[in-house]
PDB file of all heavy atoms in Angstrom:
ATOM      1  N   SER A  30       2.407  -3.154  -8.543  1.00  0.00           N
ATOM      2  CA  SER A  30       3.792  -2.738  -8.803  1.00  0.00           C
ATOM      3  C   SER A  30       4.356  -1.775  -7.716  1.00  0.00           C
ATOM      4  O   SER A  30       3.540  -1.075  -7.047  1.00  0.00           O
ATOM      5  CB  SER A  30       3.825  -1.977 -10.168  1.00  0.00           C
ATOM      6  OG  SER A  30       3.103  -0.751 -10.088  1.00  0.00           O
ATOM      7  N   GLY A  31       5.664  -1.738  -7.556  1.00  0.00           N
ATOM      8  CA  GLY A  31       6.270  -0.812  -6.604  1.00  0.00           C
ATOM      9  C   GLY A  31       6.667  -1.572  -5.317  1.00  0.00           C
ATOM     10  O   GLY A  31       6.353  -2.748  -5.102  1.00  0.00           O
ATOM     11  N   GLU A  32       7.294  -0.820  -4.420  1.00  0.00           N
ATOM     12  CA  GLU A  32       7.794  -1.281  -3.162  1.00  0.00           C
ATOM     13  C   GLU A  32       6.542  -1.360  -2.264  1.00  0.00           C
ATOM     14  O   GLU A  32       5.539  -0.598  -2.248  1.00  0.00           O
ATOM     15  CB  GLU A  32       8.702  -0.365  -2.629  1.00  0.00           C
ATOM     16  CG  GLU A  32       9.402  -0.905  -1.377  1.00  0.00           C
ATOM     17  CD  GLU A  32      10.441   0.116  -0.797  1.00  0.00           C
ATOM     18  OE1 GLU A  32      11.027   0.861  -1.594  1.00  0.00           O
ATOM     19  OE2 GLU A  32      10.690  -0.007   0.372  1.00  0.00           O
ATOM     20  N   ILE A  33       6.526  -2.286  -1.364  1.00  0.00           N
ATOM     21  CA  ILE A  33       5.456  -2.578  -0.452  1.00  0.00           C
ATOM     22  C   ILE A  33       5.090  -1.416   0.357  1.00  0.00           C
ATOM     23  O   ILE A  33       3.979  -1.147   0.716  1.00  0.00           O
ATOM     24  CB  ILE A  33       5.734  -3.909   0.393  1.00  0.00           C
ATOM     25  CG1 ILE A  33       4.437  -4.283   1.188  1.00  0.00           C
ATOM     26  CG2 ILE A  33       6.757  -3.660   1.432  1.00  0.00           C
ATOM     27  CD1 ILE A  33       3.484  -5.081   0.331  1.00  0.00           C
ATOM     28  N   ASN A  34       6.140  -0.634   0.934  1.00  0.00           N
ATOM     29  CA  ASN A  34       5.910   0.490   1.760  1.00  0.00           C
ATOM     30  C   ASN A  34       5.205   1.644   1.056  1.00  0.00           C
ATOM     31  O   ASN A  34       4.309   2.189   1.619  1.00  0.00           O
ATOM     32  CB  ASN A  34       7.235   0.984   2.413  1.00  0.00           C
ATOM     33  CG  ASN A  34       7.774  -0.072   3.389  1.00  0.00           C
ATOM     34  OD1 ASN A  34       7.080  -0.779   3.990  1.00  0.00           O
ATOM     35  ND2 ASN A  34       9.090  -0.023   3.549  1.00  0.00           N
ATOM     36  N   THR A  35       5.564   1.851  -0.157  1.00  0.00           N
ATOM     37  CA  THR A  35       4.893   2.884  -0.920  1.00  0.00           C
ATOM     38  C   THR A  35       3.534   2.599  -1.253  1.00  0.00           C
ATOM     39  O   THR A  35       2.578   3.431  -1.254  1.00  0.00           O
ATOM     40  CB  THR A  35       5.659   3.298  -2.192  1.00  0.00           C
ATOM     41  OG1 THR A  35       5.871   2.064  -2.992  1.00  0.00           O
ATOM     42  CG2 THR A  35       7.087   3.869  -1.848  1.00  0.00           C
ATOM     43  N   VAL A  36       3.298   1.283  -1.566  1.00  0.00           N
ATOM     44  CA  VAL A  36       1.939   0.853  -1.906  1.00  0.00           C
ATOM     45  C   VAL A  36       1.035   0.943  -0.629  1.00  0.00           C
ATOM     46  O   VAL A  36      -0.075   1.373  -0.733  1.00  0.00           O
ATOM     47  CB  VAL A  36       1.963  -0.622  -2.377  1.00  0.00           C
ATOM     48  CG1 VAL A  36       0.519  -1.207  -2.522  1.00  0.00           C
ATOM     49  CG2 VAL A  36       2.626  -0.683  -3.758  1.00  0.00           C
ATOM     50  N   TRP A  37       1.621   0.472   0.466  1.00  0.00           N
ATOM     51  CA  TRP A  37       0.850   0.635   1.741  1.00  0.00           C
ATOM     52  C   TRP A  37       0.490   2.068   2.173  1.00  0.00           C
ATOM     53  O   TRP A  37      -0.632   2.439   2.551  1.00  0.00           O
ATOM     54  CB  TRP A  37       1.601  -0.021   2.869  1.00  0.00           C
ATOM     55  CG  TRP A  37       0.978   0.173   4.189  1.00  0.00           C
ATOM     56  CD1 TRP A  37       1.363   1.016   5.220  1.00  0.00           C
ATOM     57  CD2 TRP A  37      -0.354  -0.394   4.581  1.00  0.00           C
ATOM     58  NE1 TRP A  37       0.446   0.957   6.234  1.00  0.00           N
ATOM     59  CE2 TRP A  37      -0.617   0.180   5.865  1.00  0.00           C
ATOM     60  CE3 TRP A  37      -1.302  -1.178   4.024  1.00  0.00           C
ATOM     61  CZ2 TRP A  37      -1.788  -0.115   6.606  1.00  0.00           C
ATOM     62  CZ3 TRP A  37      -2.415  -1.361   4.694  1.00  0.00           C
ATOM     63  CH2 TRP A  37      -2.661  -0.879   5.960  1.00  0.00           C
ATOM     64  N   GLU A  38       1.454   2.963   1.961  1.00  0.00           N
ATOM     65  CA  GLU A  38       1.268   4.423   2.210  1.00  0.00           C
ATOM     66  C   GLU A  38       0.145   4.955   1.353  1.00  0.00           C
ATOM     67  O   GLU A  38      -0.751   5.625   1.874  1.00  0.00           O
ATOM     68  CB  GLU A  38       2.544   5.211   2.017  1.00  0.00           C
ATOM     69  CG  GLU A  38       3.560   5.001   3.071  1.00  0.00           C
ATOM     70  CD  GLU A  38       3.084   5.483   4.481  1.00  0.00           C
ATOM     71  OE1 GLU A  38       2.428   6.458   4.580  1.00  0.00           O
ATOM     72  OE2 GLU A  38       3.486   4.775   5.433  1.00  0.00           O
ATOM     73  N   SER A  39       0.183   4.604   0.087  1.00  0.00           N
ATOM     74  CA  SER A  39      -0.845   5.131  -0.780  1.00  0.00           C
ATOM     75  C   SER A  39      -2.212   4.516  -0.505  1.00  0.00           C
ATOM     76  O   SER A  39      -3.297   5.274  -0.550  1.00  0.00           O
ATOM     77  CB  SER A  39      -0.515   4.948  -2.258  1.00  0.00           C
ATOM     78  OG  SER A  39      -0.390   3.523  -2.542  1.00  0.00           O
ATOM     79  N   LEU A  40      -2.231   3.255  -0.184  1.00  0.00           N
ATOM     80  CA  LEU A  40      -3.545   2.621   0.144  1.00  0.00           C
ATOM     81  C   LEU A  40      -4.105   3.163   1.376  1.00  0.00           C
ATOM     82  O   LEU A  40      -5.277   3.471   1.472  1.00  0.00           O
ATOM     83  CB  LEU A  40      -3.256   1.058   0.218  1.00  0.00           C
ATOM     84  CG  LEU A  40      -4.570   0.277   0.588  1.00  0.00           C
ATOM     85  CD1 LEU A  40      -5.543   0.326  -0.428  1.00  0.00           C
ATOM     86  CD2 LEU A  40      -4.041  -1.250   0.920  1.00  0.00           C
ATOM     87  N   SER A  41      -3.300   3.260   2.482  1.00  0.00           N
ATOM     88  CA  SER A  41      -3.807   3.790   3.784  1.00  0.00           C
ATOM     89  C   SER A  41      -4.253   5.237   3.584  1.00  0.00           C
ATOM     90  O   SER A  41      -5.282   5.612   4.153  1.00  0.00           O
ATOM     91  CB  SER A  41      -2.767   3.576   4.847  1.00  0.00           C
ATOM     92  OG  SER A  41      -1.655   4.438   4.547  1.00  0.00           O
ATOM     93  N   SER A  42      -3.465   6.009   2.849  1.00  0.00           N
ATOM     94  CA  SER A  42      -3.970   7.456   2.712  1.00  0.00           C
ATOM     95  C   SER A  42      -5.253   7.565   1.968  1.00  0.00           C
ATOM     96  O   SER A  42      -6.092   8.349   2.306  1.00  0.00           O
ATOM     97  CB  SER A  42      -2.836   8.249   2.069  1.00  0.00           C
ATOM     98  OG  SER A  42      -2.688   7.810   0.671  1.00  0.00           O
ATOM     99  N   HIS A  43      -5.458   6.704   0.972  1.00  0.00           N
ATOM    100  CA  HIS A  43      -6.757   6.717   0.192  1.00  0.00           C
ATOM    101  C   HIS A  43      -7.888   6.271   1.114  1.00  0.00           C
ATOM    102  O   HIS A  43      -8.994   6.878   1.079  1.00  0.00           O
ATOM    103  CB  HIS A  43      -6.636   5.827  -1.057  1.00  0.00           C
ATOM    104  CG  HIS A  43      -6.078   6.574  -2.194  1.00  0.00           C
ATOM    105  ND1 HIS A  43      -4.743   6.855  -2.301  1.00  0.00           N
ATOM    106  CD2 HIS A  43      -6.626   7.013  -3.402  1.00  0.00           C
ATOM    107  CE1 HIS A  43      -4.456   7.441  -3.384  1.00  0.00           C
ATOM    108  NE2 HIS A  43      -5.626   7.541  -4.154  1.00  0.00           N
ATOM    109  N   VAL A  44      -7.646   5.284   1.894  1.00  0.00           N
ATOM    110  CA  VAL A  44      -8.735   4.801   2.733  1.00  0.00           C
ATOM    111  C   VAL A  44      -9.102   5.837   3.840  1.00  0.00           C
ATOM    112  O   VAL A  44     -10.265   6.132   4.062  1.00  0.00           O
ATOM    113  CB  VAL A  44      -8.363   3.460   3.426  1.00  0.00           C
ATOM    114  CG1 VAL A  44      -9.334   3.065   4.586  1.00  0.00           C
ATOM    115  CG2 VAL A  44      -8.225   2.301   2.418  1.00  0.00           C
ATOM    116  N   LEU A  45      -8.065   6.386   4.430  1.00  0.00           N
ATOM    117  CA  LEU A  45      -8.336   7.481   5.472  1.00  0.00           C
ATOM    118  C   LEU A  45      -9.019   8.743   4.865  1.00  0.00           C
ATOM    119  O   LEU A  45      -9.894   9.259   5.394  1.00  0.00           O
ATOM    120  CB  LEU A  45      -6.971   7.837   6.136  1.00  0.00           C
ATOM    121  CG  LEU A  45      -6.570   6.872   7.188  1.00  0.00           C
ATOM    122  CD1 LEU A  45      -5.201   7.385   7.708  1.00  0.00           C
ATOM    123  CD2 LEU A  45      -7.566   6.723   8.321  1.00  0.00           C
ATOM    124  N   ASP A  46      -8.519   9.166   3.641  1.00  0.00           N
ATOM    125  CA  ASP A  46      -9.121  10.373   3.006  1.00  0.00           C
ATOM    126  C   ASP A  46     -10.580  10.063   2.648  1.00  0.00           C
ATOM    127  O   ASP A  46     -11.361  11.004   2.801  1.00  0.00           O
ATOM    128  CB  ASP A  46      -8.261  10.742   1.816  1.00  0.00           C
ATOM    129  CG  ASP A  46      -6.964  11.265   2.139  1.00  0.00           C
ATOM    130  OD1 ASP A  46      -6.770  11.713   3.390  1.00  0.00           O
ATOM    131  OD2 ASP A  46      -6.026  11.366   1.313  1.00  0.00           O
ATOM    132  N   THR A  47     -10.819   8.880   2.198  1.00  0.00           N
ATOM    133  CA  THR A  47     -12.169   8.565   1.799  1.00  0.00           C
ATOM    134  C   THR A  47     -13.091   8.598   3.073  1.00  0.00           C
ATOM    135  O   THR A  47     -14.234   9.009   3.015  1.00  0.00           O
ATOM    136  CB  THR A  47     -12.280   7.184   1.138  1.00  0.00           C
ATOM    137  OG1 THR A  47     -11.360   7.203   0.044  1.00  0.00           O
ATOM    138  CG2 THR A  47     -13.697   6.899   0.630  1.00  0.00           C
ATOM    139  N   ALA A  48     -12.560   8.040   4.165  1.00  0.00           N
ATOM    140  CA  ALA A  48     -13.332   8.021   5.370  1.00  0.00           C
ATOM    141  C   ALA A  48     -13.519   9.413   6.026  1.00  0.00           C
ATOM    142  O   ALA A  48     -14.597   9.730   6.472  1.00  0.00           O
ATOM    143  CB  ALA A  48     -12.662   7.110   6.439  1.00  0.00           C
ATOM    144  N   LYS A  49     -12.443  10.235   5.953  1.00  0.00           N
ATOM    145  CA  LYS A  49     -12.507  11.530   6.560  1.00  0.00           C
ATOM    146  C   LYS A  49     -13.373  12.533   5.759  1.00  0.00           C
ATOM    147  O   LYS A  49     -14.234  13.214   6.352  1.00  0.00           O
ATOM    148  CB  LYS A  49     -11.104  12.134   6.747  1.00  0.00           C
ATOM    149  CG  LYS A  49     -10.399  11.679   8.002  1.00  0.00           C
ATOM    150  CD  LYS A  49      -9.223  12.595   8.304  1.00  0.00           C
ATOM    151  CE  LYS A  49      -8.027  12.399   7.358  1.00  0.00           C
ATOM    152  NZ  LYS A  49      -6.903  13.013   7.763  1.00  0.00           N
ATOM    153  N   PHE A  50     -13.091  12.609   4.534  1.00  0.00           N
ATOM    154  CA  PHE A  50     -13.562  13.697   3.771  1.00  0.00           C
ATOM    155  C   PHE A  50     -14.923  13.484   3.023  1.00  0.00           C
ATOM    156  O   PHE A  50     -15.396  14.377   2.447  1.00  0.00           O
ATOM    157  CB  PHE A  50     -12.550  14.260   2.866  1.00  0.00           C
ATOM    158  CG  PHE A  50     -11.303  14.681   3.545  1.00  0.00           C
ATOM    159  CD1 PHE A  50     -10.100  14.125   3.275  1.00  0.00           C
ATOM    160  CD2 PHE A  50     -11.325  15.711   4.475  1.00  0.00           C
ATOM    161  CE1 PHE A  50      -8.992  14.525   3.930  1.00  0.00           C
ATOM    162  CE2 PHE A  50     -10.215  16.113   5.163  1.00  0.00           C
ATOM    163  CZ  PHE A  50      -8.995  15.531   4.896  1.00  0.00           C
ATOM    164  N   THR A  51     -15.350  12.221   2.944  1.00  0.00           N
ATOM    165  CA  THR A  51     -16.659  11.965   2.383  1.00  0.00           C
ATOM    166  C   THR A  51     -17.737  12.191   3.393  1.00  0.00           C
ATOM    167  O   THR A  51     -17.539  12.163   4.620  1.00  0.00           O
ATOM    168  CB  THR A  51     -16.695  10.611   1.814  1.00  0.00           C
ATOM    169  OG1 THR A  51     -16.516   9.612   2.844  1.00  0.00           O
ATOM    170  CG2 THR A  51     -15.654  10.412   0.695  1.00  0.00           C
ATOM    171  N   SER A  52     -18.937  12.288   2.993  1.00  0.00           N
ATOM    172  CA  SER A  52     -20.060  12.477   3.885  1.00  0.00           C
ATOM    173  C   SER A  52     -20.492  11.100   4.555  1.00  0.00           C
ATOM    174  O   SER A  52     -21.410  11.156   5.413  1.00  0.00           O
ATOM    175  CB  SER A  52     -21.261  13.147   3.173  1.00  0.00           C
ATOM    176  OG  SER A  52     -21.656  12.296   2.064  1.00  0.00           O
ATOM    177  N   THR A  53     -19.930  10.022   4.163  1.00  0.00           N
ATOM    178  CA  THR A  53     -20.375   8.734   4.663  1.00  0.00           C
ATOM    179  C   THR A  53     -19.966   8.601   6.099  1.00  0.00           C
ATOM    180  O   THR A  53     -20.776   8.275   6.945  1.00  0.00           O
ATOM    181  CB  THR A  53     -19.791   7.622   3.806  1.00  0.00           C
ATOM    182  OG1 THR A  53     -18.417   7.733   3.672  1.00  0.00           O
ATOM    183  CG2 THR A  53     -20.421   7.623   2.477  1.00  0.00           C
ATOM    184  N   LEU A  54     -18.656   8.701   6.387  1.00  0.00           N
ATOM    185  CA  LEU A  54     -18.153   8.398   7.723  1.00  0.00           C
ATOM    186  C   LEU A  54     -17.920   9.795   8.450  1.00  0.00           C
ATOM    187  O   LEU A  54     -18.610  10.120   9.431  1.00  0.00           O
ATOM    188  CB  LEU A  54     -16.955   7.612   7.816  1.00  0.00           C
ATOM    189  CG  LEU A  54     -17.171   6.071   7.436  1.00  0.00           C
ATOM    190  CD1 LEU A  54     -15.825   5.341   7.620  1.00  0.00           C
ATOM    191  CD2 LEU A  54     -18.237   5.519   8.256  1.00  0.00           C
ATOM    192  N   GLY A  55     -16.831  10.409   8.173  1.00  0.00           N
ATOM    193  CA  GLY A  55     -16.430  11.668   8.807  1.00  0.00           C
ATOM    194  C   GLY A  55     -15.638  11.277  10.089  1.00  0.00           C
ATOM    195  O   GLY A  55     -15.533  10.226  10.462  1.00  0.00           O
ATOM    196  N   LEU A  56     -15.246  12.405  10.701  1.00  0.00           N
ATOM    197  CA  LEU A  56     -14.562  12.222  11.960  1.00  0.00           C
ATOM    198  C   LEU A  56     -15.503  12.154  13.138  1.00  0.00           C
ATOM    199  O   LEU A  56     -16.595  12.699  13.118  1.00  0.00           O
ATOM    200  CB  LEU A  56     -13.518  13.492  12.172  1.00  0.00           C
ATOM    201  CG  LEU A  56     -12.500  13.565  11.132  1.00  0.00           C
ATOM    202  CD1 LEU A  56     -11.623  14.855  11.472  1.00  0.00           C
ATOM    203  CD2 LEU A  56     -11.561  12.346  11.207  1.00  0.00           C
ATOM    204  N   LYS A  57     -15.053  11.529  14.163  1.00  0.00           N
ATOM    205  CA  LYS A  57     -15.911  11.341  15.309  1.00  0.00           C
ATOM    206  C   LYS A  57     -15.834  12.578  16.136  1.00  0.00           C
ATOM    207  O   LYS A  57     -14.720  13.126  16.415  1.00  0.00           O
ATOM    208  CB  LYS A  57     -15.417  10.198  16.245  1.00  0.00           C
ATOM    209  CG  LYS A  57     -16.311   9.777  17.255  1.00  0.00           C
ATOM    210  CD  LYS A  57     -15.868   8.555  17.893  1.00  0.00           C
ATOM    211  CE  LYS A  57     -16.922   7.904  18.796  1.00  0.00           C
ATOM    212  NZ  LYS A  57     -16.538   6.651  19.328  1.00  0.00           N
ATOM    213  N   VAL A  58     -16.954  13.181  16.486  1.00  0.00           N
ATOM    214  CA  VAL A  58     -17.020  14.391  17.240  1.00  0.00           C
ATOM    215  C   VAL A  58     -17.256  13.999  18.711  1.00  0.00           C
ATOM    216  O   VAL A  58     -18.184  13.363  19.038  1.00  0.00           O
ATOM    217  CB  VAL A  58     -18.245  15.284  16.809  1.00  0.00           C
ATOM    218  CG1 VAL A  58     -18.259  16.559  17.543  1.00  0.00           C
ATOM    219  CG2 VAL A  58     -18.010  15.634  15.283  1.00  0.00           C
ATOM    220  N   ARG A  59     -16.334  14.537  19.521  1.00  0.00           N
ATOM    221  CA  ARG A  59     -16.428  14.281  20.931  1.00  0.00           C
ATOM    222  C   ARG A  59     -17.130  15.413  21.559  1.00  0.00           C
ATOM    223  O   ARG A  59     -16.685  16.492  21.670  1.00  0.00           O
ATOM    224  CB  ARG A  59     -15.030  14.137  21.555  1.00  0.00           C
ATOM    225  CG  ARG A  59     -15.022  13.693  22.880  1.00  0.00           C
ATOM    226  CD  ARG A  59     -13.606  13.452  23.376  1.00  0.00           C
ATOM    227  NE  ARG A  59     -13.614  13.144  24.814  1.00  0.00           N
ATOM    228  CZ  ARG A  59     -12.537  13.058  25.485  1.00  0.00           C
ATOM    229  NH1 ARG A  59     -11.368  13.253  24.989  1.00  0.00           N
ATOM    230  NH2 ARG A  59     -12.636  12.844  26.812  1.00  0.00           N
ATOM    231  N   LYS A  60     -18.385  15.178  22.045  1.00  0.00           N
ATOM    232  CA  LYS A  60     -19.205  16.129  22.645  1.00  0.00           C
ATOM    233  C   LYS A  60     -19.562  15.783  23.989  1.00  0.00           C
ATOM    234  O   LYS A  60     -20.025  14.619  24.227  1.00  0.00           O
ATOM    235  CB  LYS A  60     -20.486  16.399  21.709  1.00  0.00           C
ATOM    236  CG  LYS A  60     -21.243  17.543  22.223  1.00  0.00           C
ATOM    237  CD  LYS A  60     -22.442  17.681  21.408  1.00  0.00           C
ATOM    238  CE  LYS A  60     -23.332  18.786  21.865  1.00  0.00           C
ATOM    239  NZ  LYS A  60     -24.014  18.628  23.137  1.00  0.00           N
TER     240      LYS A  60
END
């Protein structure tokens, strides 16, 4: 349900937050 742009925004934010803030992936550290 809803407009395609809002659905995409919520989906992408959930995917990025899950990747960033969980201990599974995290951000790439450039060393």
Side-chain angles (χ1 to χ4, degrees):
S30 65
E32 189 181 334
I33 188 81
N34 290 333
T35 57
V36 171
W37 172 249
E38 288 295 325
S39 63
L40 178 66
S41 64
S42 67
H43 275 72
V44 170
L45 282 176
D46 290 344
T47 305
K49 272 197 288 189
F50 300 119
T51 60
S52 62
T53 53
L54 289 185
L56 295 176
K57 191 171 193 176
V58 178
R59 186 173 174 190
K60 185 180 181 295

